[in-house]
Amino acid sequence: MRTAPDSRRDRVRDMLADLRMPGALEAVDGILARADGGAATATEAIEELLEAQIALRNNRRLETAMRASRLPAVKTLAQFDFAFQPSIKREQIESLHELGFVERAENVVLLGPPGVGKTHLAISLAIAAAESGRRVYYGTLADLVDSLAEAKTAGGLARRLRILTHPALLVVDEIGYLPVSRDGAVLFFQLVNARHERGSTVLTSNKGFEEWGGVLGDEVMAAALIDRLLHRCHIVNIRANSYRMREHQDLLRSEEPREAAPV
C-alpha cells in the first residue's frame, strides 16, 4: 500500500523538525507544492530546502555577530558602488571577501580620504567573516584605545588584550580622525603586537602611513606599529570621490528653486 502524499509531507516535516532545520521546515510546504505542480524537480526541491536552511543559519550568525561585534551597521559587498570608485581594483576586493587573508592571519589596510567607502568595505569584510562562522569585533581607534586605557587603570589590561586578540577579524576604524596620546599609542601597539600572526586586523585611515607618527604622537612607535601591520598585509588605496559629498550634492540639487513657468 502506497503512502498518501499528505502522510509523506507530514513525515518530511517531522524529520526536518527532528534534524532541527527550522529554515527548511518553514519553506517545505511551498517547495513541495512547486514540485507537485511540476515547477521544480526533486533535485531542485532538495536544493531549495537546503538553501532555505543555510539562509536562516547565516542570518542567525549575522544577528549574533552584530550583537557581539558592535558592528555599527550592515554593509555588504553587494551594496558597494564600484562604478563610483574606479580607483578600486574590484578583483582585489572580491578576492579579499573570499577570506583567505583571515585563514592566513593577514591584515588589510584601507587608505583614502573621508567618505570614499573605507568603512563600508571594512564592515563588509567583517560581515563575510561572521557569515562564515568566524568571530569578529569592530571599534574605532579612539574607542579601542579608551577601552584599553580603562582596563589598564582597573588592572585588567592583560585580560582585555586577550579578549581583543580572540576574534578572527578585528576592524579598527577611523585611524587619523582623532589624535591619540603617546600612552594610547603604546596600548594600540600592544594590541597589534598581541594579534600579530594570530588574527587578522582590518584598519581604515584617512592618513597615509607617513602621517601616522603625527596621529599617534610618536614617530618611533608609529614605525614599529606599521612594521607589524605590513609584515603580512593587503593595502587598498582609494583615491576617488566621496559618497557623502555626492549625497550632499544630490540633496542640494533637489532643493534648488525651479524656474517659474512663463506666463
Side-chain angles (χ1 to χ4, degrees):
M1 182 177 179
R2 298 181 62 183
T3 305
D6 287 343
S7 299
R8 187 175 293 115
R9 285 194 184 88
D10 290 339
R11 287 177 55 199
V12 169
R13 292 191 197 95
D14 289 343
M15 286 187 284
L16 291 174
D18 189 49
L19 290 169
R20 297 182 181 179
M21 299 177 66
L25 184 60
E26 183 177 348
V28 67
D29 288 338
I31 292 172
L32 289 179
R34 288 185 353 95
D36 289 344
T41 65
T43 302
E44 290 170 340
I46 293 171
E47 182 180 21
E48 289 179 22
L49 275 175
L50 296 176
E51 286 175 345
Q53 180 59 33
I54 290 170
L56 178 65
R57 182 198 64 187
N58 288 345
N59 286 337
R60 286 181 171 178
R61 279 180 176 173
L62 184 55
E63 289 172 1
T64 301
M66 289 293 291
R67 289 192 299 270
S69 67
R70 301 191 178 185
L71 286 167
V74 175
K75 294 180 182 292
T76 66
L77 180 61
Q79 296 168 334
F80 190 79
D81 186 359
F82 283 98
F84 191 69
Q85 303 296 29
S87 69
I88 296 179
K89 297 178 181 178
R90 184 168 189 157
E91 297 80 6
Q92 180 189 23
I93 301 302
E94 290 177 343
S95 176
L96 288 172
H97 280 77
E98 293 173 4
L99 304 178
F101 79 96
V102 178
E103 295 175 4
R104 298 185 295 270
E106 297 169 349
N107 303 318
V108 176
V109 180
L110 297 139
L111 301 173
V116 296
K118 301 184 300 296
T119 296
H120 184 136
L121 291 174
I123 291 174
S124 70
L125 286 169
I127 286 177
E131 288 177 338
S132 71
R134 295 174 171 91
R135 183 170 294 184
V136 304
Y137 192 84
Y138 168 94
T140 65
L141 174 61
D143 288 342
L144 287 168
V145 167
D146 285 347
S147 74
L148 290 169
E150 290 172 5
K152 181 180 179 182
T153 300
L157 179 59
R159 180 175 181 275
R160 183 62 179 161
L161 285 171
R162 284 196 300 272
I163 290 172
L164 292 176
T165 302
H166 187 63
L169 190 151
L170 171 69
V171 175
V172 182
D173 203 7
E174 298 183 357
I175 297 175
Y177 286 81
L178 294 172
V180 177
S181 68
R182 188 183 185 285
D183 288 343
V186 171
L187 290 171
F188 183 45
F189 176 80
Q190 287 181 265
L191 172 59
V192 170
N193 192 52
R195 291 185 58 81
H196 184 57
E197 296 187 333
R198 293 187 180 92
S200 295
T201 305
V202 176
L203 308 96
T204 76
S205 179
N206 65 335
K207 305 289 186 183
F209 292 124
E210 71 280 0
E211 300 177 86
W212 282 28
V215 173
L216 299 175
D218 188 307
E219 295 289 345
V220 175
M221 184 66 62
L225 177 71
I226 292 168
D227 180 67
R228 286 288 190 279
L229 290 173
L230 298 189
H231 177 218
R232 304 172 69 181
C233 186
H234 304 265
I235 300 174
V236 180
N237 275 301
I238 308 175
R239 305 189 183 281
N241 299 318
S242 166
Y243 283 108
R244 289 192 284 274
M245 286 303 296
R246 179 179 66 173
E247 292 170 357
H248 294 327
Q249 290 167 358
D250 291 343
L251 180 61
L252 288 172
R253 279 196 293 268
S254 70
E255 292 180 351
E256 287 178 356
R258 298 180 180 178
E259 294 184 5
V263 179

